[in-house]
């Protein structure tokens, strides 16, 4: 009972830890929604809270992707919005007046606390309570998860990681107990995961892989059937219920693995059943008969399937999934996917930054999972291996690696502490008892064992040292030398050898492991406070005068919302679409959803063209205002000039008259005096650097580090209406078409006028 | 039929015939020994699979237009068959893993899972 109370208390502490380490951004800045995608989720949640769920399901948004619009109900993953919306509704029903924004900001920390509890449950199923608590504590702090779930980062991953770990827990629990009740819960949890994140395809491919692994390694059991078969049927149905997935649940290649393994599982189950009914000789006969017939049928089915799949150009996979399997696919065929910064492969230092010490502990955890190997621990190893592969393809998927790394590190650390504390206890008792009073029959630490076998992170070899001979040990026990078990029951005939280290070694190792944990905690707190808490909508810098705050983005959006008409259309690069619709409440042309490549290419072409051509493109889209982000005055590096080459590439992908080499001088991208005339005349250059020379007389761009090429020029088709305090956001208005035609054109027109 | 006339060439074939008959006979005999409640479950599974096949055949004839209706119909048959097989596994007395599980609990789980399945089906039927 005391153990249970201690465990519960530790879990509460872990929850508080997970919640509070994510509050740095609220303390350092303010309670504000971060980045770009969360603003869209926030806007959708606002709509849901104002208009109710039926309006939300049927919502057609006409304030974005003008003139196409976007069907929100059918293209958004509703899990996060519905979760936050129901929390808001529940809290307000209790008369606690929390605003929607507050609920949205704090959803992520709350769910990360719940996710660490789910990790505890999952690891407990594999290796026991100690490992569970360890893994939960590690997950509460791991920087990779913190980066996507700080207070204010209101994005899908905030609830999706909880759903992922919880679904895995229910799967492993069903596998261990064989209960249909848990299988039902597993399907429902999978449904929540499908609602929350596009990464649900990871689950529906990992679980079939594990089932296949179990069958191939001879661990088929009826519990495996109960764990997998209902999940496939119920899971597919539930996934098809979510509008954004729909019939993709049965038609796309991402789900075919689950159906294939479903069929294989049934075949295997049937074979085992028949084996139970017949004698071995008859069974062999049946096998030869079935195999000849079965192979022929299989061949036919596979041929049909291959023909169906090969007839579609992407072989049935979506672009994002293909870029996971072939990392070079996106850069060759789909520049949009290649340009998203989250989709780049990670660098080696980012592994150490994001999972820190766990990178060393994970291999130890893998070894610990093999002693002994159970269904649950083989699942952990498989999860880790696939997660490591995918995290190497896209930096965003480091997030999927984080729970796996935490679980395996928890297992490793727990096993290590187990061995070390057991050694210390045994050695100390031996020291105080002053004599080899081990009878081998009732002592909890087992018999003589002095085989040195550490499962700590440093040492992986099994060293054998001579065991002190005991009269009671029979030769039978020598065969059990290699076994390392954690059971403490000792029977008289069968003695299990437990590993024990010398006292000094175990004390020093324990202290070193605790120090390792200390380094990890320090790193996590530093990463949470310094690296991952920036809201990106507000920037700060330290100078001699103190803290300087750059609030230009909100200044620009507030200007837009106060000084323009409600129906005015604003054009900018797609990065700022969500923020513009959420904060400025104006219609935009393209936004972060990036579902229509041609529309984005149109905006990209306009930004890359000279003023008149750009004016015409924007006028055809009814645009009134154009917004650009410029960091040259203050040294903000993620501005539109740095992103400009992507605009050229994407625009050039659809409109061949935009050619990237036209904007590069000798293959180099420059905007100084050496830049090409096409670059110096394009709209993006002009809108960013208009009147820039007035700031310091020379036009020195702090980001690029040189003076700009064209310094004095006038705008003919656009007029500047607003520039923020640090020149970071600049808003221009399209000049209306002239009423009278003057000069040369008048003579041409007068010829066609009727003569009176 | 003729064990003598074929001679030396096709010694195997008549043996295969006899073997197949022997196989089917022993299968029948072993199956007849299973308890009645398991046989009832097997009958239910067979009925569900036949219904699914009938639906697929119907879809082949008239086309798959309300695809969600077709999908929910077929998957409800396959789903309830799978759940019945799970029930059979849990109720079977020869299964040593489940000897602590009372059959009432197994049946209750079966009913619960079917409830969830059919709730989803009704929603998806359209």
């Amino acid at each position: 009972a005391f153990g249970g109370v201690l465990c519960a208390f530790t879990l509460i502490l872990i929850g508080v830890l997970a919640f509070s380490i994510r509050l740095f951004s609220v303390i350092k800045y303010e309670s504000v929604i971060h980045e770009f995608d969360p603003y869209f989720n926030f806007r959708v949640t606002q709509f849901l809270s104002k208009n109710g769920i039926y309006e939300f399901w049927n919502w057609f948004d006409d304030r974005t992707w003008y003139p196409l619009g976007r069907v929100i109900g059918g293209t958004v993953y509703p899990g996060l919005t519905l979760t936050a919306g129901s929390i808001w509704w529940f809290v307000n029903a209790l008369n606690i007046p929390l605003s929607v924004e507050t609920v949205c900001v704090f959803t992520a920390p709350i769910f990360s606390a719940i996710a660490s509890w789910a990790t505890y449950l999952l690891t407990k199923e594999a290796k026991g309570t100690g490992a569970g608590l360890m893994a939960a504590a590690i997950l509460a702090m791991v920087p990779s998860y913190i980066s996507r779930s700080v207070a204010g980062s209101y994005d899908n991953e905030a609830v999706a990681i909880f759903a992922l770990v919880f679904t895995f827990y229910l799967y492993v629990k069903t596998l261990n107990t064989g209960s249909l009740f848990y299988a039902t819960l597993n399907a429902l949890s999978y449904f929540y995961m499908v609602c929350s994140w596009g990464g649900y395809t990871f689950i529906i491919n990992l679980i079939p892989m594990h089932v296949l692994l179990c069958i191939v390694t001879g661990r088929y059991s009826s519990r495996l059937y109960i764990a997998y078969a209902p999940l496939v049927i119920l899971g597919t149905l539930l996934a098809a219920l979510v509008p954004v997935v729909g019939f993709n649940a049965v038609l796309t290649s991402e789900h075919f693995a689950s159906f294939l393994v479903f069929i294989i599982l049934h075949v295997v189950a049937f074979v085992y059943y028949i084996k139970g009914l017949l004698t071995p000789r008859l069974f062999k006969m049946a096998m030869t008969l079935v195999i000849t017939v079965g192979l022929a049928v299989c061949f036919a089915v596979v041929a049909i399937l291959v023909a169906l799949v090969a007839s579609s150009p992407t072989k049935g996979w979506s672009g994002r999934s293909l870029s996971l399997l072939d990392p070079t696919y996106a850069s060759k065929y789909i520049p949009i996917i290649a340009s998203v910064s989250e989709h780049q492969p990670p660098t080696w230092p980012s592994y150490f930054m994001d999972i820190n010490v766990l990178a060393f502990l994970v291999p130890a955890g893998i070894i610990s999972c093999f002693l002994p190997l159970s269904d649950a621990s083989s699942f952990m190893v498989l999860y880790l291996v696939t997660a490591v592969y995918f995290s190497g393809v896209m930096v965003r998927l480091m997030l999927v690696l984080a729970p796996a790394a935490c679980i395996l590190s928890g297992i490793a650390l727990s096993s290590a502490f187990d061995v070390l504390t057991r050694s210390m206890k045994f050695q100390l008792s031996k020291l105080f008892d002053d004599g080899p009073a081990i009878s081998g029959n009732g002592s909890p630490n087992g018999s003589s064992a002095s085989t040195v076998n550490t499962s700590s992170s440093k040492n992986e070899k099994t060293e054998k040292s001579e065991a002190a001979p005991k009269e009671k040990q029979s030769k039978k026990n020598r065969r059990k030398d290699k076994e390392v078990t954690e059971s403490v029951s000792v029977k008289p005939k069968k003695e299990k050898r437990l590993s024990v280290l010398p006292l000094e070694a175990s004390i020093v190792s324990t202290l070193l492991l605790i120090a390792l944990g200390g380094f990890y905690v320090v790193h996590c707190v530093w990463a949470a406070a310094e690296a991952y808490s920036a809201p990106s909508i507000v920037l700060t810098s330290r100078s001699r005068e103190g803290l300087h705050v750059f609030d230009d983005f909100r200044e620009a959006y507030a200007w837009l919302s106060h000084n323009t008409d409600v129906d005015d259309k604003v054009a900018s690069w797609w990065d700022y679409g969500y923020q513009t619709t959420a904060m400025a409440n104006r219609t935009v042309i393209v936004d972060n959803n990036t579902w229509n490549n041609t529309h984005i290419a149109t905006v990209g072409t306009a930004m890359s063209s000279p003023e008149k051509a750009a004016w015409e493109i924007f006028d055809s889209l009814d645009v009134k205002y154009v917004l650009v982000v410029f960091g040259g005055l203050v040294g903000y590096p993620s501005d539109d000039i740095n992103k400009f080459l992507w605009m050229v590439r994407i625009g050039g992908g659809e409109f061949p008259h935009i050619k990237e080499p036209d904007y590069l001088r000798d293959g180099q991208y420059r905007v100084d005096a050496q830049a090409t005339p096409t670059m110096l005349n394009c709209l993006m250059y002009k809108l960013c650097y208009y009147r820039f020379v007035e700031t310091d007389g020379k036009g020195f761009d702090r980001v690029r580090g040189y003076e700009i090429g064209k310094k004095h020029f006038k705008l003919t088709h656009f007029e500047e209406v607003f520039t923020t305090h640090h020149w970071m956001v600049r808003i221009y208005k399209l000049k209306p078409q002239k009423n009278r035609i003057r000069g040369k054109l008048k003579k041409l027109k007068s010829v066609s006028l009727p003569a009176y | 039929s003729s064990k003598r006339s074929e001679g030396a060439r096709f010694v195997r074939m008549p043996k295969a015939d006899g073997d197949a008959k022997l196989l089917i006979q022993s299968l029948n005999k072993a199956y007849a020994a299973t308890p009645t409640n398991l046989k009832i479950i097997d009958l239910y599974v067979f009925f569900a699979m036949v219904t699914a096949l009938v639906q697929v055949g119907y879809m082949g004839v008239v086309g798959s237009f309300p695809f969600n209706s077709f999908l929910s119909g077929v998957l409800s048959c396959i789903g309830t068959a799978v759940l019945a097989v799970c029930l059979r596994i849990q109720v079977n007395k020869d299964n040593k893993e489940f000897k602590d599980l009372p059959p009432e609990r197994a049946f209750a789980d079966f009913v619960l899972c079917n409830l969830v399945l059919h709730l989803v089906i009704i929603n998806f039927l359209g």
Side-chain angles (χ1 to χ4, degrees), chain A residues 110-144:
Chain A
I110 293 176
F111 271 85
S112 58
I114 305 181
S116 44
W117 294 337
T119 313
Y120 160 72
L121 289 171
L122 174 58
T123 320
K124 189 169 83 137
E125 282 303 310
K127 277 289 180 177
T129 324
L133 286 174
M134 201 84 226
I138 294 178
L139 184 86
M141 291 188 289
V142 65
S144 166

Side-chain angles (χ1 to χ4, degrees), chain A residues 54 57 191 237-238 240-243, chain B residues 68-69 72 115-126:
Chain A
Y54 285 109
W57 273 138
F191 174 52
L237 268 173
L238 286 167
L241 266 188
V242 181
Chain B
N68 54 330
S69 315
S72 61
L115 258 173
V116 172
L117 173 71
H118 287 98
L119 203 66
V120 176
I121 295 285
I122 300 277
N123 194 0
F124 198 47
L125 208 52

